[in-house]
Amino acid sequence: MSTHKSINKITTEQLRKMKQAGEKIASLTAYDFTMAQLLDEAEIDVIIVGDSASMVFAGNETTLPVTMEEMIYHVRVVAKAVKRGLVIADMPFMSYQISTDEALRNAGRFMQEAHAEGVKLEGGLEFLPTIKRLVEVGIPVMGHLGLTPQSIHLFGTYRTRGTSGTEADKILHDAKALEEAGVFAMVLEKIPAELGRKISESLSIPTIGIGAGPYCDGQVLVSYDMLGLYDKFHPRFVRKYAELGSAMRDAFAAYRNDVKGRQFPTDKESY
Ligand code: KIV
């Protein structure tokens, strides 16, 4: 008799059904094995190995410097840990923009070498041929519209996107085009809640919001932000579910003091 609990593995099809049934999708980011295992045990539906790794894991100012090789490593260790959630690899800056062929090669590496179950890329109409090609060969693609952090030097600011009529119309238009091109879901980042609602109601695929209001079909946060581990930015959409940064600082200081004060290790902690 098997002692394994049966696992209800999340698939792209299941995410679509969750939208139809009105069940919200819970997503977070992960970059390492231990964190990914904890997210999976908490039944987080979609685990995105975000290029936010560049900032919160590697300490860069933006998401731009992280490379394919670094992302492959993060995705591989996350995918090794996850049994239930859908593991999505975020395609780093310049891994999909140059040509459809390069996008195909790099997305293929995420699937083949790192065991991702889909990829995410930022942008709208300009990437339709690439998205169509990836989907054609069997690679599930997640879109990402609104504030797209890889374009930060073009935007010049992390302000809310889609606040003007023209910009909102473009995001809605892009969202419809991405759905038509075959994306299975899309992240909507930092747009007004009403635009989040309009897009979510216009599409049959799920929207996953980050700072895009309560009407999206799911929500995602950067795990380091919601755990209180990264405090360079304090956008209002980040709800802090823990203050692990201060808990860790306290633990490290307590350990240091024990070592300096000869309180660690005790006889019981020695051989
Ligand atoms: O890089 C990232 O963490 C993201 C999240 C918004 C999913 O793109």
Side-chain angles (χ1 to χ4, degrees):
M1 195 178 73
S2 169
T3 53
H4 290 286
K5 247 173 57 179
S6 74
I7 289 163
N8 175 23
K9 180 81 185 87
I10 302 292
T11 62
T12 56
E13 185 49 30
Q14 218 164 326
L15 296 178
R16 187 189 287 267
K17 287 191 182 140
M18 284 164 80
K19 170 165 180 142
Q20 282 162 1
E23 179 184 345
K24 295 282 187 184
I25 296 162
S27 176
L28 285 170
T29 65
Y31 320 100
D32 70 88
F33 181 91
T34 305
M35 182 92 88
Q37 201 167 47
L38 293 169
L39 297 189
D40 207 37
E41 283 164 12
E43 302 200 348
I44 297 301
D45 302 310
V46 181
I47 299 179
I48 301 179
V49 187
D51 62 0
S52 48
S54 176
M55 298 169 76
V56 301
F57 184 91
N60 296 311
E61 288 293 317
T62 69
T63 59
L64 275 66
V66 74
T67 65
M68 263 309 289
E69 299 312 318
E70 289 162 348
M71 287 300 292
I72 292 249
Y73 175 78
H74 288 298
V75 175
R76 191 187 294 127
V77 297
V78 166
K80 206 192 295 178
V82 174
K83 305 269 182 286
R84 174 186 175 274
L86 187 74
V87 177
I88 300 301
D90 207 1
M91 296 199 68
F93 184 59
M94 283 301 125
S95 68
Y96 60 97
Q97 289 92 338
I98 292 165
S99 69
T100 293
D101 281 352
E102 279 205 35
L104 193 54
R105 192 171 303 114
N106 287 323
R109 289 191 67 196
F110 276 130
M111 308 293 286
Q112 193 167 36
E113 294 174 34
H115 306 145
E117 295 163 316
V119 298
K120 173 169 90 55
L121 55 87
E122 298 180 6
L125 290 180
E126 61 282 20
F127 293 109
L128 296 190
T130 296
I131 292 169
K132 282 186 185 154
R133 186 72 191 118
L134 296 183
V135 175
E136 252 168 30
V137 303
I139 300 176
V141 180
M142 175 181 265
H144 186 154
L145 295 174
L147 175 63
T148 47
Q150 290 179 12
S151 303
I152 185 57
H153 295 304
L154 189 67
F155 293 151
T157 152
Y158 286 104
R159 78 159 170 81
T160 313
R161 311 309 300 188
T163 47
S164 72
T166 342
E167 205 173 62
D169 287 348
K170 174 167 172 22
I171 297 171
L172 177 60
H173 187 62
D174 279 347
K176 289 179 179 167
L178 289 191
E179 169 164 47
E180 215 154 286
V183 301
F184 70 90
M186 79 183 63
V187 168
L188 297 175
E189 180 161 353
K190 212 168 181 206
I191 58 169
E194 272 313 311
L195 180 57
R197 182 213 290 265
K198 202 164 169 188
I199 296 172
S200 304
E201 287 175 356
S202 306
L203 305 181
S204 57
I205 55 159
T207 58
I208 303 194
I210 173 162
Y215 311 110
C216 292
D217 304 301
Q219 298 292 328
V220 61
L221 286 174
V222 170
S223 52
Y224 276 53
D225 291 343
M226 56 88 79
L227 292 173
L229 283 170
Y230 184 79
D231 52 14
K232 265 198 168 167
F233 295 111
H234 297 279
R236 82 158 86 138
F237 61 77
V238 175
R239 184 181 294 178
K240 289 232 183 116
Y241 283 85
E243 289 292 352
L244 295 195
S246 51
M248 285 169 79
R249 262 190 301 271
D250 289 350
F252 297 146
Y255 164 76
R256 177 195 177 278
N257 291 343
D258 283 353
V259 172
K260 300 272 180 193
R262 299 168 192 272
Q263 302 299 307
F264 176 82
T266 59
D267 286 349
K268 268 187 165 173
E269 289 159 329
S270 303
Y271 297 95

